[in-house]
Amino acid sequence: MRKKQCVAMLLAGGQGSRLYALTSNVAKPAVNFGSKYRIIDFPLSNCINSGIDTVGVLTQYQPLELNDYIGNGEPWDLDRTWGGVHVLPPYQRSRGGDWYKGTANAIYQNMGFIDRYDPDYVLVLSGDHIYKMDYDKMLDFHKKNNADCTIAVIEVTLQEAKRFGIMNTDADNRIFEFEEKPAKPKSTKASMGVYIFNKNVLFEYLKADEEDKKSSKDFGKNIIPAMLRDGKRMYAYGFSGYWKDVGTIDSLWEANMDLLGEKPVLDLNDPSWKIYYRHTPENPHYIGEDAKVKNSALAEGCEIDGTVENSVLFTNITVEKGAVVRDSVIMGDCVIKAGARVEYAILDNGVVVGENARVGVSKQDASGIAVIGAGVEVGAKTVVDAGEMVTEDVK
């Protein structure tokens, strides 16, 4: 069989517990984003745009909707006879089986899949980040430095650095120290959770880690520190574009807001780097003669007769006359009835907000974003305050 230069392994099995109601029934990479996308569309699109046509997607938590969405990979041009996209859940082996115990163990359990393509390099990705990145440039950097492992890093503030894995490097960007969420960071180079390994080196460390009964089976906690201790050639690849970990309600809301404005922080209208997605055709959106729409993204099937400002609306959203939606993310098939107000909120799929109800507050405050779970009905004149998380009908 033909050899692949690089195979990507996309870690998409996390529970996403910090997204609370939004991930109660779906894996975090399957969560909606940006009026028509899913979070996983970004790493998958990055792969094909970078010339990587073999991707293993490692699923575990609530995989059904994610598996269905990925399908045969056709939307991302990953429906290949040799290669393409493959969903890789944990499975039973002749000597037993187990759930993925950590990020490193997940790759360890799928070394057989990687070996099918005999790659020189393995790209390991997280399935829950929003960014546009050319992995081929990172691979060139890896090869030029004769690296054993290259880790993508992004500059953050000194205060933010306390929340990340931090790479301390010399003048040539060679990593000499890794600190996990340090109280006093020595640098501001934060790991993006994007790794390139030489395959043989990766396999060596995965096997050794698997034999260590005390290991957490994690790249950041175990594999990377072990390679540093052994003096392996490890380099930090600087990335200067947009990147956001959308693992919390606030960060998911912020990333959606970054799509708005005349010069959005995250521009998805770049023809040279398209973000592909699985598309179900709907009717064109409709804006009534008395409606007011300002600085918002509207997907197909929306019917707007009220006011929508600074918001991201997915498919088939109805905003009735007199209803107001501001500074919010409204996912598919929601209805905002007459006189209702939704502000600084995220509504999951299929939510109904009753007449003259109120969700969220008119000004962002320390209380946070209001969240309404999938299929919930908020009764007429009901009030859901800032920061509240509603998972059952309220009337």
Side-chain angles (χ1 to χ4, degrees):
M1 290 292 186
R2 297 192 306 277
K3 177 184 176 67
K4 298 286 185 180
Q5 177 185 223
C6 182
V7 166
M9 300 296 281
L10 203 165
L11 297 162
Q15 185 174 350
S17 57
R18 291 179 299 162
L19 289 178
Y20 303 102
L22 301 180
T23 51
S24 59
N25 295 305
V26 298
K28 183 164 53 172
V31 169
N32 292 322
F33 178 80
S35 84
K36 62 181 181 179
Y37 305 101
R38 306 283 186 117
I39 295 171
I40 199 169
D41 290 329
F42 288 80
L44 286 178
S45 297
N46 288 341
C47 283
I48 199 64
N49 288 333
S50 302
I52 297 172
D53 63 6
T54 305
V55 184
V57 180
L58 286 68
T59 63
Q60 181 159 281
Y61 172 78
Q62 295 284 9
L64 183 60
E65 187 167 343
L66 181 61
N67 294 355
D68 186 56
Y69 182 74
I70 294 172
N72 67 351
E74 184 272 334
W76 306 274
D77 192 26
L78 288 170
D79 52 337
R80 305 298 179 97
T81 302
W82 179 241
V85 66
H86 297 260
V87 175
L88 303 171
Y91 61 92
Q92 192 75 21
R93 296 162 179 80
S94 59
R95 291 183 292 176
D98 207 343
W99 293 109
Y100 295 146
K101 302 170 188 174
T103 54
N105 176 258
I107 304 298
Y108 172 82
Q109 290 197 38
N110 288 283
M111 290 192 303
F113 169 81
I114 296 170
D115 256 342
R116 289 182 64 196
Y117 302 100
D118 190 25
D120 297 315
Y121 308 101
V122 179
L123 171 67
V124 178
L125 307 170
S126 295
D128 50 8
H129 299 156
I130 300 294
Y131 65 116
K132 298 186 295 182
M133 182 179 182
D134 189 341
Y135 302 134
D136 192 46
K137 291 182 179 179
M138 182 177 172
L139 183 57
D140 283 343
F141 175 89
H142 178 88
K143 290 188 283 190
K144 286 177 182 176
N145 285 290
N146 191 29
D148 295 304
C149 171
T150 298
I151 302 173
V153 298
I154 191 165
E155 291 286 346
V156 297
T157 66
L158 201 59
Q159 187 63 33
E160 289 176 318
K162 298 175 182 179
R163 301 188 295 109
F164 292 95
I166 297 300
M167 305 295 155
N168 299 319
T169 66
D170 62 19
D172 295 324
N173 287 309
R174 183 163 178 174
I175 301 167
F176 63 82
E177 186 179 22
F178 170 73
E179 298 178 285
E180 181 68 27
K181 298 180 180 179
K184 295 181 179 180
K186 298 174 186 175
S187 85
T188 54
K189 295 180 178 179
S191 171
M192 295 169 58
V194 177
Y195 311 105
I196 293 178
F197 295 92
N198 292 349
K199 188 202 80 169
N200 291 338
V201 174
L202 174 62
F203 278 20
E204 174 190 343
Y205 279 85
L206 288 176
K207 291 173 183 176
D209 185 68
E210 192 64 22
E211 293 174 1
D212 182 357
K213 302 303 181 183
K214 297 180 180 180
S215 172
S216 300
K217 315 303 182 190
D218 184 83
F219 277 102
K221 295 177 181 178
N222 306 111
I223 301 295
I224 302 305
M227 293 180 70
L228 279 171
R229 285 195 301 269
D230 291 345
K232 292 297 181 181
R233 294 181 61 83
M234 305 182 70
Y235 283 81
Y237 174 77
F239 177 72
S240 59
Y242 182 95
W243 178 86
K244 189 177 283 287
D245 180 345
V246 288
T248 67
I249 293 296
D250 285 345
S251 62
L252 179 63
W253 180 85
E254 289 166 1
N256 275 278
M257 295 300 109
D258 285 343
L259 299 172
L260 303 177
E262 291 184 10
K263 295 182 178 180
V265 179
L266 174 58
D267 184 7
L268 299 184
N269 294 318
D270 181 0
S272 68
W273 202 268
K274 292 183 178 180
I275 303 300
Y276 302 96
Y277 65 104
R278 185 170 295 282
H279 178 233
T280 301
E282 302 287 350
N283 293 327
H285 67 252
Y286 169 79
I287 300 175
E289 60 180 349
D290 296 323
K292 296 179 181 178
V293 178
K294 179 181 178 181
N295 190 38
S296 296
L298 275 61
E300 296 174 332
C302 291
E303 295 186 13
I304 312 300
D305 287 296
T307 297
V308 178
E309 295 181 358
N310 305 317
S311 294
V312 175
L313 274 59
F314 290 73
T315 54
N316 298 322
I317 307 300
T318 298
V319 180
E320 293 184 355
K321 193 170 184 178
V324 175
V325 176
R326 287 196 179 102
D327 302 293
S328 294
V329 178
I330 314 296
M331 298 185 186
D333 302 303
C334 291
V335 177
I336 317 300
K337 292 194 173 181
R341 299 180 72 88
V342 177
E343 300 176 286
Y344 288 101
I346 297 177
L347 274 55
D348 206 345
N349 298 295
V351 170
V352 176
V353 179
E355 293 184 3
N356 300 308
R358 192 192 79 198
V359 176
V361 293
S362 58
K363 185 178 181 180
Q364 188 178 20
D365 61 19
S367 299
I369 305 298
V371 177
I372 309 297
V376 168
E377 182 176 349
V378 178
K381 300 182 180 179
T382 299
V383 175
V384 177
D385 285 327
E388 281 197 53
M389 186 83 53
V390 178
T391 58
E392 297 179 351
D393 293 352
V394 287
K395 297 183 180 179

